[in-house]
């Protein structure tokens, strides 16, 4: 008989997810801010689903067995992705890279943009995963923390490395090592989402802002500084500034980071903690400098030349969205071939040119330059070696750690 492990979300964890879905990382649009308007409703619905059943409610100690694969006989697969996260033709009627994949392989892709946020989507597929049933999807794209949970619970298929020659060869070194999926046995990143420092040069009097220390201690910025309501980004960037690695920190390190931020709150250096609603205040100059997501910076710079960004010398935190094949997927081989296809350089360039997030495919620059030379030069899309070397991932948390950390963070930000 299989053994199961119950793991429910605490009130602090659910509150953090609601913040994320309303205007935080979970509400980030892929390529635009279109998703923000509907995120609040999804936050309530998605969190409600999961507060009732727990996330996740059970663990298969034995892990996921390979499902019977029907790829050779059924030339098809179903791919669930986020809104505006796939290249589209100018008239919006076709998806060029997917059509080219079908033309080459004969594999038809049923592509659906039915992921609006991680929690709400997990609420759809969790019952089937827990019951050992096919979710009806062969490939999904979820953010790193949820990918980690799915893998840990044995609800993802192990990928066949023989079908991933391009992915294995071309995966950027920046994304090769993650503690929740050693060796990328179950996942490959779709995009990276960096947290950087953004500032309005007009509001700072032309002065560059390039460190968390400056955000917290520069009196010239007093009352005009923003930090994020995403715990992993705000704490992670603060840990780096303190000389600590977000991938290898202790409880004491975490408490020290919270204490340092609390001082910024107490002396009113920090104006407020925000989701991506910081963009309007930054553009107006009400916030002079803040932690920001790179995708927002690219969009803001298109309309406002005063918006600048900096990569701290101490480093920065990068999250990822990741491709997984769910347990019991009917077309595992076909899905794995599609993963590998998006690591071919011309295909990766075409995708990056459309969605404008960090491309996890090394060596894509020359191909992207053929499409848009400016994008190929943008380190927020293709980090150079120096920038990539400064990227850090926030380590995986146990349920106990996440509960304790989110409770402390909620108190800090007044949530």
């Amino acid at each position: 008989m299989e053994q199961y492990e119950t793991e429910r979300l605490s009130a602090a964890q659910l509150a953090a997810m609601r913040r994320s879905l309303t205007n935080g990382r979970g509400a980030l649009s892929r390529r635009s801010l279109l998703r923000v308007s509907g995120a609040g409703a999804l936050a309530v619905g998605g969190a409600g689903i999961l507060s009732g059943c727990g996330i996740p409610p059970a663990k298969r100690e034995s892990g996921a067995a390979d499902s019977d694969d029907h790829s050779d006989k059924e030339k098809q697969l179903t791919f669930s992705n986020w809104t505006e996260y796939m290249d589209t033709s100018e008239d919006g009627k076709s998806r060029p890279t997917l059509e080219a994949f079908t033309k080459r392989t004969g594999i038809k892709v049923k592509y659906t943009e039915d992921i609006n946020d991680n929690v709400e989507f997990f609420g759809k597929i969790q019952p089937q995963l827990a019951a050992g049933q096919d979710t009806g999807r062969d490939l999904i794209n979820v953010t790193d923390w949820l990918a980690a949970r799915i893998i840990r619970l044995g609800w993802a298929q192990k990928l066949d490395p023989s079908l991933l020659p391009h992915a294995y060869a071309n995966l950027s070194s920046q994304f090769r090592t993650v503690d929740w999926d050693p060796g990328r046995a179950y996942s490959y990143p779709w995009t990276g989402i960096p947290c950087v420092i953004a500032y309005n040069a007009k509001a700072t009097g032309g002065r560059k802002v390039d460190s968390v220390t400056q955000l917290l201690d520069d009196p010239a910025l007093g009352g005009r500084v923003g930090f994020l309501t995403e715990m992993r980004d705000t704490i992670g960037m603060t840990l780096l500034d303190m000389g600590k690695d977000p991938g290898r920190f202790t409880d004491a390190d975490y408490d020290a980071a919270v204490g340092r931020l609390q001082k910024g709150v107490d002396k009113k250096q920090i104006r407020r903690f925000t989701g991506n609603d910081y963009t309007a205040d930054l553009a107006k100059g009400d916030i002079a400098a803040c932690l920001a997501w790179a995708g927002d910076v690219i969009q803001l710079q298109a309309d406002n030349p005063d918006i600048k960004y900096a990569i701290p010398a101490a480093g920065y935190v990068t999250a990822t969205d990741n491709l997984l094949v769910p347990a019991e997927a009917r077309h595992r081989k076909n899905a794995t071939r599609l993963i590998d296809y998006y690591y071919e350089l011309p295909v990766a360039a075409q995708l990056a040119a459309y969605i404008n997030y960090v491309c996890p495919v090394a060596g894509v620059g020359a191909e992207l330059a053929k499409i848009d030379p400016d994008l190929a030069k943008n380190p927020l899309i293709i980090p150079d070696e120096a920038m990539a070397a400064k990227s850090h991932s926030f380590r995986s948390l146990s349920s106990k750690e996440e509960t304790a950390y989110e409770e402390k963070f909620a108190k800090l930000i007044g949530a």
Side-chain angles (χ1 to χ4, degrees), residues 240-293:
L240 283 168
D241 194 69
M242 297 168 62
K244 304 294 183 179
D245 183 352
R248 298 172 60 88
F249 65 88
T250 65
D251 288 349
D253 295 332
Y254 185 92
D255 290 344
V258 170
R260 188 164 182 224
L261 290 161
Q262 186 65 57
K263 290 179 181 178
V265 172
D266 294 342
K267 67 181 182 181
K268 302 189 185 306
Q269 178 78 3
I270 298 174
R271 182 184 183 92
R272 64 189 181 103
F273 292 86
T274 73
N276 61 13
D277 52 328
Y278 65 81
T279 55
D281 284 347
L282 182 63
K284 291 186 295 183
D286 292 342
I287 286 180
C290 62
L291 295 187
W293 290 299

Side-chain angles (χ1 to χ4, degrees), residues 25 179-180 195 212 231-251 253-254 257 314-319 389-397 401 405:
R25 186 190 288 163
D179 65 353
W180 48 269
C195 179
V212 170
M231 181 268 287
R232 288 167 175 80
D233 292 313
T234 287
I235 297 294
M237 293 290 280
T238 304
L239 285 168
L240 283 168
D241 194 69
M242 297 168 62
K244 304 294 183 179
D245 183 352
R248 298 172 60 88
F249 65 88
T250 65
D251 288 349
D253 295 332
Y254 185 92
Y316 63 101
V317 176
T318 301
K390 293 181 178 180
S391 174
H392 296 264
S393 297
F394 198 93
R395 72 170 173 83
S396 298
L397 302 177
E401 285 179 322
Y405 291 170

Side-chain angles (χ1 to χ4, degrees), residues 5 96 175 181 209 250 323 351 398:
E5 174 189 280
F175 300 103
D181 185 14
V209 181
T250 65
L323 299 173
L351 181 67
S398 68

Side-chain angles (χ1 to χ4, degrees), residues 145-161:
W145 66 266
L146 180 54
R149 285 178 181 270
I150 291 173
I151 292 170
R152 178 166 54 82
L153 288 156
W155 291 348
Q157 290 276 9
K158 194 169 186 178
L159 301 175
D160 182 350

